[in-house]
Amino acid sequence: MAMISPRVVCFGELLLRLGAPGNQLLLQSPTLDVHAGGAEANVGVSLAHFGHDVAMISVVADNPLGAAVAGELRRHGVDTSRVRRSDGRMGLYFLTTGAGHRPSEVVYDRADSAFASARADSYDWPALLQGAQWLHLSGVSPALGMEAAQATLAAARAANERGIKVSFDGNFRPKLWERWGGDAKAILRDLFDCAHIVFADYRDIGVVLGGEFNQAEPQARVDAAAAMAFAAFPRLQYMACTQRTAHSVGHHSLGAMLLGRDGTRALAPAEELTDIVDRIGGGDAFAAGVLHGLIEGMDAETTIRFGLAAGCLKHSIPGDFNPVGVADVMALMGEGKFDVRR
């Protein structure tokens, strides 16, 4: 009998992305391309394509938009039985994809969505987390308002009480926090304190713990930030991050680091990303790749290389999701990675 992979549960808002076609400006023509997305859902979809048993916890609008987004997750193999329908609207965001010297731009329209308005005490965490071995969260959810922040904290604490490992992506969104005056530093610190692994770099640690990292080299800044994080958060075992250099909108260099409390320090050398199709969701694809490595018991170097390769592949695929399998990622890590596969 085939063994079921460890269950991963993701909690966060499901969104609709409305994007200007190609490299047009927003509403330059009366057409928008529509994709489903959301930081936590992006991770869940990737893990499902890597063969893991994944469930999504969320609240969507009780209308055709909510049904469509939930249906899209199911199409990618994610269990949506824990997605609740409610009165309210779907969260939206509008994307203008940059080109040349013009950067991409995101406009959020997610205030008072069904997810953001859901009461924190409306989630039955013991039931929702049943069977889970990992819970994935991000800093986007608590930035949406007090109810969402309290729900995210309750989820993380319930996971800790049940021995479920928490994966947390910092995803600091200052404009969302400013909209409702939330205490980002205090809330994010509490979430970091619940995490087994955080996807964060020295800038995120600076927000949460204060201080500046002035080392000359970016990798040295990450090393110093990780040491501070491990000292502050006893439960934390790993910190992972990418290191991006943007040469232009369509040409980036992307490397990655994985640091462990036990002294683990694994580096994935930078890859050159040219002719980028869509970078939205690249960080989520990276996070899913690293989680896959940890769940499967890969060594640290293979884990971070797998995560980086997954993130790189996402840059070639339109939409928020990264619907590639393990074989696709492993092929990018191997020799002849650009050969035609027949």
Side-chain angles (χ1 to χ4, degrees):
M1 182 179 294
M3 295 296 291
I4 297 175
S5 298
R7 174 175 285 274
V8 182
V9 174
C10 301
F11 171 64
E13 183 169 28
L14 301 177
L15 297 169
L16 280 172
R17 163 177 144 182
L18 307 175
N23 297 112
Q24 294 183 28
L25 298 176
L26 192 63
L27 298 182
Q28 182 177 339
S29 63
T31 304
L32 293 170
D33 295 329
V34 181
H35 296 276
E40 303 83 2
N42 296 343
V43 172
V45 166
S46 283
L47 287 170
H49 279 277
F50 293 153
H52 298 282
D53 184 23
V54 181
M56 188 75 204
I57 302 171
S58 191
V59 180
V60 298
D62 188 12
N63 61 32
L65 300 181
V69 174
E72 186 67 7
L73 262 67
R74 287 195 298 274
R75 190 174 73 84
H76 287 279
V78 176
D79 175 4
T80 61
S81 62
R82 294 165 169 89
V83 175
R84 188 171 80 240
R85 296 189 184 187
S86 177
D87 293 338
R89 59 184 296 265
M90 282 299 296
L92 310 175
Y93 79 93
F94 296 84
L95 174 68
T96 302
T97 301
H101 295 293
R102 175 173 57 81
S104 299
E105 184 177 0
V106 168
V107 176
Y108 284 123
D109 180 22
R110 56 199 298 183
D112 303 317
S113 67
F115 178 84
S117 301
R119 290 178 55 88
D121 60 9
S122 66
Y123 297 94
D124 182 356
W125 291 113
L128 292 169
L129 294 176
Q130 186 174 358
Q133 296 189 21
W134 284 85
L135 169 66
H136 180 71
L137 305 168
S138 90
V140 177
S141 294
L144 296 174
M146 182 56 72
E147 294 291 344
Q150 291 178 348
T152 307
L153 282 166
R157 290 166 177 161
N160 287 168
E161 291 169 1
R162 289 158 179 78
I164 299 167
K165 294 177 180 178
V166 175
S167 160
F168 183 68
D169 192 334
N171 271 338
F172 181 52
R173 298 289 189 269
K175 290 184 179 179
L176 292 177
W177 286 102
E178 290 166 6
R179 189 184 65 83
W180 65 281
D183 188 348
K185 181 176 180 179
I187 294 171
L188 291 175
R189 184 183 178 111
D190 285 347
L191 287 165
F192 271 66
D193 195 38
C194 293
H196 180 83
I197 180 172
V198 293
F199 295 94
D201 66 9
Y202 61 90
R203 289 163 291 195
D204 298 290
I205 302 303
V207 169
V208 174
L209 296 178
E212 296 182 359
F213 301 95
N214 298 314
Q215 291 79 2
E217 296 297 324
Q219 290 183 356
R221 295 174 212 156
V222 175
D223 288 332
M228 181 181 287
F230 291 134
F233 306 119
R235 187 177 281 106
L236 184 64
Q237 298 300 313
Y238 295 102
M239 182 171 118
C241 66
T242 56
Q243 295 175 314
R244 183 186 299 269
T245 301
H247 307 288
S248 70
V249 169
H251 176 202
H252 295 183
S253 301
L254 193 67
M257 297 179 69
L258 175 65
L259 303 172
R261 175 178 292 277
D262 61 359
T264 294
R265 188 177 188 274
L267 305 177
E271 296 279 353
E272 294 298 312
L273 305 178
T274 57
D275 302 319
I276 292 173
V277 172
D278 190 340
R279 65 169 286 187
I280 302 297
D284 302 321
F286 165 73
V290 171
L291 286 174
H292 172 75
L294 293 178
I295 293 170
E296 293 297 309
M298 296 178 180
D299 62 67
E301 182 179 349
T302 305
T303 294
I304 197 63
R305 290 181 60 230
F306 188 95
L308 180 63
C312 288
L313 281 174
K314 170 60 197 71
H315 288 68
S316 70
I317 300 171
D320 285 35
F321 295 160
N322 190 38
V324 301
V326 171
D328 300 302
V329 180
M330 297 298 290
L332 183 59
M333 295 166 61
E335 299 294 330
K337 57 190 178 183
F338 299 125
D339 291 343
V340 177
R341 281 180 274 169
R342 304 180 188 275

